[in-house]
């Protein structure tokens, strides 16, 4: 049986959280995870790698997650890539903007365990890219 690796790009500037999510996602048999701590290199990698899903924090050192999401949705090649916002910003404006731009979900880090995040990713991947 051939396992199809799912490429996930994780954009998270908190090294502790980045490692925690990386370890949890990499522990899943079919996830190949690449992590970035800032937006510019992440966006470049998204363009080059065409990942199966992007996990995106909002507060980043250079450009924010909403800007990355906008850039992805404006590029026809990237627009179909599922994006899951994973942030501690629990403000309605950010949530509404991200979802209006086409994010596939908006999770508040403090409210979800890494296992629940993995479950949400699997759910999105099942419905988005069969």
């Amino acid at each position: 049986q051939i396992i199809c690796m799912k490429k996930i790009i994780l954009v998270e500037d908190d090294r502790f959280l980045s490692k925690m999510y990386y370890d949890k996602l990499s522990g899943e048999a079919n996830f190949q995870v690449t992590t970035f701590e800032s937006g510019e290199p992440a966006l470049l990698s998204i363009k080059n790698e065409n990942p199966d899903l992007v996990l995106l924090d909002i507060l980043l050192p250079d450009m924010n997650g909403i800007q990355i999401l906008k850039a992805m949705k404006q590029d026809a090649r990237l627009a179909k890539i599922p994006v899951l916002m994973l942030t501690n910003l629990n403000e309605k404006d950010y949530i509404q903007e991200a979802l209006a731009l086409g994010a596939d979900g908006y999770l508040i880090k403090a409210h979800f365990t890494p296992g629940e995040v993995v479950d949400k990713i699997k759910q999105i991947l099942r419905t988005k890219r069969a």
Side-chain angles (χ1 to χ4, degrees):
Q1 177 181 343
I2 297 169
I3 295 175
C4 180
M5 293 293 278
K6 295 288 187 188
K7 281 193 278 192
I8 295 178
I9 288 183
L10 166 64
V11 190
E12 168 61 69
D13 62 330
D14 179 311
R15 286 204 170 136
F16 173 78
L17 289 175
S18 181
K19 178 160 177 28
M20 180 181 75
Y21 286 114
Y22 176 85
D23 290 346
K24 183 67 183 171
L25 292 166
S26 297
E28 298 293 317
N30 60 342
F31 290 161
Q32 176 190 339
V33 185
T34 310
T35 60
F36 292 91
E37 291 182 12
S38 60
E40 295 276 355
L43 190 55
L44 190 63
S45 179
I46 292 164
K47 287 176 181 171
N48 293 331
E49 296 291 318
N50 193 25
D52 294 289
L53 183 133
V54 176
L55 260 179
L56 194 52
D57 190 8
I58 290 183
L59 294 178
L60 297 165
D62 50 0
M63 59 193 302
N64 70 37
I66 297 287
Q67 291 169 307
I68 295 170
L69 180 61
K70 268 185 191 156
M72 286 178 66
K73 295 303 177 184
Q74 288 166 354
D75 183 327
R77 274 186 337 108
L78 310 178
K80 288 185 171 55
I81 298 170
V83 177
L84 181 57
M85 306 306 287
L86 185 62
T87 180
N88 273 325
L89 282 179
N90 195 1
E91 291 158 37
K92 213 153 126 193
D93 293 349
Y94 283 110
I95 298 169
Q96 287 174 335
E97 185 175 11
L99 295 175
L101 284 168
D104 295 274
Y106 192 105
L107 302 183
I108 309 298
K109 291 176 205 166
H111 299 182
F112 293 87
T113 66
E116 289 169 324
V117 172
V118 169
D119 290 343
K120 181 70 177 167
I121 289 170
K122 288 179 174 174
Q123 179 193 340
I124 290 171
L125 289 173
R126 271 196 305 273
T127 56
K128 280 291 179 178
R129 286 190 171 180

